Amino acid sequence: GAAYGIVAYVRAGMLDSAVALADTVAHHSPHDLQYLGARAHIAQARGRPLEEMTWRRQVAMEVPDNWQFWLLTANAALQARSCWEARRSIARVRRLNPTFKTLPDLERRLREAGCEH
């Protein structure tokens, strides 16, 4: 669908085209998970971690038992230095997948960002 086209434009470095297509999709399917994820890709490519985190969190909230979506949100939150969201998202990853092998790395990054409390 259109979300794949958005991501393809992002990967090709055609951000203006990605945004234009995303704006069109927004009118028809503003709550579609693939669309929301594609918006996160655009934000990431633009170097806007807080915006990326917001889009990724919307996806994670729609599918709250999917640890991968919380992992994406946690990574974006760490990039954005949003301590509250990083702690919450990492806690969700830990709860949903307690044996995830990169949890120690996420927690180390949380500490390094000054977000441990």
Side-chain angles (χ1 to χ4, degrees):
Y4 294 111
I6 296 167
V7 173
Y9 279 137
V10 170
R11 289 182 179 157
M14 301 171 66
L15 294 182
D16 291 341
S17 296
V19 170
L21 182 54
D23 289 345
T24 300
V25 173
H27 292 292
H28 303 289
S29 305
H31 304 289
D32 179 80
L33 294 180
Q34 291 178 332
Y35 159 74
L36 297 172
R39 280 288 189 182
H41 280 287
I42 292 170
Q44 182 181 40
R46 287 178 156 176
R48 298 178 179 171
L50 187 60
E51 183 180 332
E52 177 192 359
M53 178 198 78
T54 301
W55 291 111
R56 297 219 183 271
R57 179 178 48 216
Q58 286 182 47
V59 173
M61 296 292 279
E62 290 294 321
V63 191
D65 292 331
N66 184 306
W67 68 269
Q68 291 97 335
F69 291 141
W70 289 109
L71 176 62
L72 290 170
T73 304
N75 280 316
L78 286 167
Q79 282 286 117
R81 298 213 179 275
S82 176
C83 292
W84 183 86
E85 186 60 58
R87 283 191 304 270
R88 178 175 81 146
S89 296
I90 291 170
R92 293 272 180 113
V93 172
R94 187 182 309 110
R95 183 175 56 79
L96 294 168
N97 189 354
T99 60
F100 183 55
K101 62 184 173 185
T102 64
L103 265 173
D105 181 57
L106 280 173
E107 291 166 344
R108 176 190 54 77
R109 290 173 54 209
L110 189 68
R111 285 189 306 277
E112 288 174 356
C115 297
E116 55 203 342
H117 299 294

